[in-house]
Amino acid sequence: MCLLAAATVWGAYPHSQANAAQVSGSIQYGVNFRMAPNTSSTIIRMIGKGEEVVVLDSSNRNWLQVRDSKGKVGYISSDSQYIQINESSSGSNNSPALKTNATIAASVSFRTGPSTDAARIRYMQKDEKVTITGKPNSYWYAVTDANGTAGYVSTDTKYITVTGQVATPPATEEKPAVPEAKPESGAASKQVEAIIAAGMKYLGTPYEYGSKRDDTSTFDCSDLIRQMFKDAIGVTLPADSRGQGNYVRSKNAAVTDWHKLKRGDLMFFMDYKGTSASLYSGKIPFSTKISHAAIYLGDGKVLHTYSKASGGVRTDSIEGKHWEYRFLYGGSAL
């Protein structure tokens, strides 16, 4: 796609305008209507030339979030060869008003994309009414709030309660934004996937240092891992990260090169000293004090929790970041 053309459309109106006034668009050429703002996401259908859509969000320079005439919300290219923007101050359009079909059950991150790596728009509060417009994967709902802002929240029932009919998603569901590294085969593979699935349902759960074990309303890093293993396979790991590190070392040969880790392995890290690799050059993996634990998802990503400011349970890439420099060792707890 031509970025210059996309920028031309972008410059025609500020992205906040989609919420301040009704912005409509006319499709100029057949364009893929997708579940998420990327070319690898599921295609809902092809929107044909001449169809009218309502622009809900234009904060992504290359993609527009739009609602079609049937009330379905998705994404199309912002390239001017596909859509002509027409603002309507009256807000009149052929799209039906969205009816709320869910209530926020507990404070939860409202994000720009179906991933914990996506920017947080804000925290949604308990008892807010929202409209679920899609489900790009098992872990996220696409929702629109009372102000017309579109985004994503966790599908976990502790955060959202479905109160009405939700449109049936396309038959082909977009894969979760979780790396699909090859796990071990056989029984170990099934256990690994069960453990990771147990952890993913806690995405967005708030962080609390020294959180109460067996209380899933908050987690610190080791508490999250401990709960994942309990939920998935009934194994109770040590309650702190250093104990978990010793447990891993007692069961298997731990590795100090994270590239050699397998999906589902536990990872242990030292204290944060800064973002430069040189600050960690003198670390001694098996002697340095452990201060953080995470579970490896594969493809350089981890599932963990480490601060209130970061939004609680989330996934992160570690390569080239302080996480990579702080890594001490890791291995399987199975």
Side-chain angles (χ1 to χ4, degrees), residues 172-220:
T172 303
E173 186 180 78
E174 182 186 352
K175 292 183 178 180
V178 180
E180 297 293 338
K182 289 185 178 180
E184 296 180 52
S185 60
S189 171
K190 292 180 180 179
Q191 288 184 318
V192 165
E193 296 310 312
I195 291 165
I196 290 174
M200 293 299 288
K201 74 181 182 181
Y202 292 118
L203 283 172
T205 300
Y207 174 86
E208 180 186 13
Y209 178 74
S211 57
K212 293 180 180 178
R213 274 47 183 165
D214 301 320
D215 177 355
T216 60
S217 61
T218 60
F219 291 112
D220 62 18

Side-chain angles (χ1 to χ4, degrees), residues 290-308:
I290 294 171
S291 62
H292 182 65
I295 189 164
Y296 188 57
L297 299 176
D299 197 28
K301 286 199 172 187
V302 298
L303 175 65
H304 62 167
T305 185
Y306 59 91
S307 73
K308 291 182 179 179

Side-chain angles (χ1 to χ4, degrees), residues 86-214:
N86 300 299
E87 184 179 342
S88 170
S89 59
S90 65
S92 61
N93 62 84
N94 295 324
S95 298
L98 292 178
K99 295 181 180 179
T100 61
N101 56 11
T103 301
I104 300 302
S107 180
V108 64
S109 292
F110 186 35
R111 297 186 180 274
T112 58
S115 166
T116 53
D117 290 332
R120 184 187 301 111
I121 300 169
R122 64 180 178 87
Y123 281 107
M124 284 191 158
Q125 301 302 314
K126 182 180 179 181
D127 295 330
E128 279 194 55
K129 305 296 183 183
V130 298
T131 302
I132 297 174
T133 57
K135 189 178 180 183
N137 59 53
S138 300
Y139 307 114
W140 297 91
Y141 282 131
V143 304
T144 301
D145 70 7
N147 297 319
T149 302
Y152 296 83
V153 298
S154 169
T155 57
D156 194 322
T157 53
K158 70 189 290 185
Y159 297 116
I160 189 168
T161 301
V162 177
T163 58
Q165 186 174 0
V166 177
T168 303
T172 303
E173 186 180 78
E174 182 186 352
K175 292 183 178 180
V178 180
E180 297 293 338
K182 289 185 178 180
E184 296 180 52
S185 60
S189 171
K190 292 180 180 179
Q191 288 184 318
V192 165
E193 296 310 312
I195 291 165
I196 290 174
M200 293 299 288
K201 74 181 182 181
Y202 292 118
L203 283 172
T205 300
Y207 174 86
E208 180 186 13
Y209 178 74
S211 57
K212 293 180 180 178
R213 274 47 183 165
D214 301 320

Side-chain angles (χ1 to χ4, degrees), residues 219-230:
F219 291 112
D220 62 18
C221 63
S222 53
D223 187 17
L224 171 65
I225 291 172
R226 185 173 184 267
Q227 192 66 44
M228 290 166 63
F229 274 72
K230 284 186 67 177

Side-chain angles (χ1 to χ4, degrees), residues 270 273 277-285 288:
M270 64 181 290
K273 293 185 176 182
S278 62
L279 296 172
Y280 304 92
S281 59
K283 68 182 180 184
I284 304 174
T288 302

Side-chain angles (χ1 to χ4, degrees), residues 9-32:
V9 174
W10 168 266
Y13 58 98
H15 72 266
S16 60
Q17 199 170 8
N19 294 329
Q22 188 72 66
V23 177
S24 63
S26 300
I27 301 302
Q28 303 298 298
Y29 193 84
V31 63
N32 286 329

Side-chain angles (χ1 to χ4, degrees), residues 55-92:
V55 178
L56 300 175
D57 184 55
S58 57
S59 57
N60 184 317
R61 286 184 177 273
N62 299 323
W63 296 88
L64 298 174
Q65 186 178 48
V66 302
R67 186 170 72 238
D68 69 8
S69 59
K70 297 179 181 179
K72 182 67 178 178
V73 175
Y75 294 84
I76 63 171
S77 168
S78 62
D79 196 315
S80 58
Q81 70 173 307
Y82 297 115
I83 184 169
Q84 177 179 311
I85 301 300
N86 300 299
E87 184 179 342
S88 170
S89 59
S90 65
S92 61

